[in-house]
Amino acid sequence: MTDPQLILAERVQQALGTAFGQEYASEDPLIRPSQFADYQANVALSLAKRLRRAPREVAQAVADAMDHTDVAVEISGPGFLNMTLSDDWIAAQAVLQLADDRLGVPQAAPKSIVIDYSAPNAAKEMHVGHLRTTIVGDTLVRVHEHVGHDVTRQNHLGDWGTPFGMLIEHLIDLGESEALTRLASGDGNAFYQEARHKFDNDRTFEERSRSRVPLLQGGDPATLRLWREFIEYTKRYFNHVYDVLGVTLTDDHIAGESMYNTMLADVCDELEQAGVAEISEGALCVFPPGFTGRDDRPLPLIIRKSDGGYGYATTDLAAIRYRVRDLKADRILYVVGATQSLHFQMVFAAARMAGWLHDDVSAEHVQIGSVLGADGKMFKTRSGASTKLTELLDEAVSRAEAVIAERGYEPAARREIGRQVGIGAVKYADLSVSHDSEYVFDFDRMLALTGNTGPYLQYAVARIRSIFRRGELDPADFPGPIALGEPAERALALQLLGFGSIVETVAESSEPHRLCNYLFDLAQAFTSFFETCPVLKAEEPVRTSRLALSALTLRVLVQGLDLLGIEVPERM
Ligand code: ARG
């Protein structure tokens, strides 16, 4: 462990135990970066009431009991513990971090984490909203795996339901081969709209569609074959998008709505027998306490409609039961649009009533905010139809190529760098704002080489690599020693040491934007260092120390971007 925040937290906890008894040794010490010192601990303020003592007195007792090796502790204000680390200690920790494969990221006690993300609908086009759930979800997967958890990816594909009646009829009308080719190329939305149009305007088509539904649900072989083909070809398009994005989802992770089909009757029975669900106006419903609609009437979660049909809530209840019982989840993350918040609150409440979600399992909705167009409305192209994702990604890449065009790369290199920069920019834009806020999709902003953008960070990496290239040096040859003379060196080293706790925080809070902010601050700390501290031209031993700091910055940036799923070009 090299992260000062984690080390100081341990020391403050030890001091709390010594000063007030072991029951206080697991208290959160509330360590934060400080304006007046390196870090401050705010725990004295939160504990004072419980201990019936003045906060400053509590702070003093902690300071007296604390291990002061390499850290100066001062009490300030109403009872903050200000902590300043010695330069030698920071330098030594940086050398340790450089020697550590994990760069100071602690290994967690492994938990089983199920992450539900992406989940486009086979009956419709994959849209930018799914792009964001895909990108955020994939980052959470990478972070949890890196921290040491067992992650099960679940792509809860919308691949079942009554619309497939009309979609199958439309597929028959068009002819299988034409229909399937179109689906594989991402034409799903237009396909859906055509089917919908016929359904609304053509009585015989409507009737055919309606009678197709029970055939599908009843497992009629010919119908099932068409449905399977429909899904198969639509999946090819999804996989193509995943491939372009470089996300880790494959067919192995598909656990679509259809998978739960055979469990739905049993889910309803179990809920009814447990007295959790009841019949109301012919439908089987759960009324989770605390959810009310208009006129304060209890809000139902309908799990079997009065016509016997099952819906989205039923599938999600089956999924939760499966994830806890079969996948043995300790924690389930649902990376899904914020608009579905009420649905998940009610599903989680119902699953808790049924005992499927018990105290040892947490289910969390990682709410994803909408992506907006320049007009502040949901992102659409000018024609009004929502943009085909592949076209959007192609445009990002060609714009990125234009950005780097004047640097005179060979066409092949330019294409490759353009791909890395274009895709990286789109991903970073999704990740760098807090996941539940909306943001405006804007190519110019996300591709800018300055500011908190993907290209800026990729460029920072390329710049460090070019230092080593110019010196004809290999970063791996600089394990230290590190000595901190200039303030910019100290600030850079301290920022580097914070990598471990930021990765832990992202895993805990499901907030990738914190890692983005951290990497952005790191790149800026490196820039200040580079502007004030010559590296290649410095005299030894300063030169070796600065090269080691540069090598460490390079590795932390590359590792951090990798956790975000962002590739880094060798040059830029
Ligand atoms: N297919 C849904 C949609 O496009 C998202 C599914 C999310 N996952 C879940 N378990 N409900 O909105």
Side-chain angles (χ1 to χ4, degrees), residues 437-468:
S437 39
E438 303 179 327
Y439 82 94
V440 174
F441 191 96
D442 176 353
F443 275 125
D444 290 333
R445 220 209 37 167
M446 61 179 82
L447 282 163
L449 284 170
T450 52
N452 190 7
T453 67
Y456 171 73
L457 290 176
Q458 291 170 319
Y459 183 63
V461 172
R463 223 170 32 160
I464 302 176
R465 285 195 175 134
S466 84
I467 298 172
F468 286 94

Side-chain angles (χ1 to χ4, degrees), residues 400-402 404-406 409-419:
E401 279 187 43
I404 57 167
E406 72 268 22
Y409 294 114
E410 296 287 297
R414 195 175 75 206
R415 264 198 305 281
E416 177 62 0
I417 301 173
R419 183 188 66 74

Side-chain angles (χ1 to χ4, degrees), residues 116 119-121 130 156 158 257 312 316 323 334 336 340 343-344:
D116 177 325
N121 300 311
H130 293 119
H156 196 87
E257 294 179 13
Y312 192 49
D316 258 324
R323 289 165 185 182
Y334 292 79
V336 187
Q340 296 188 32
H343 164 77
F344 284 114

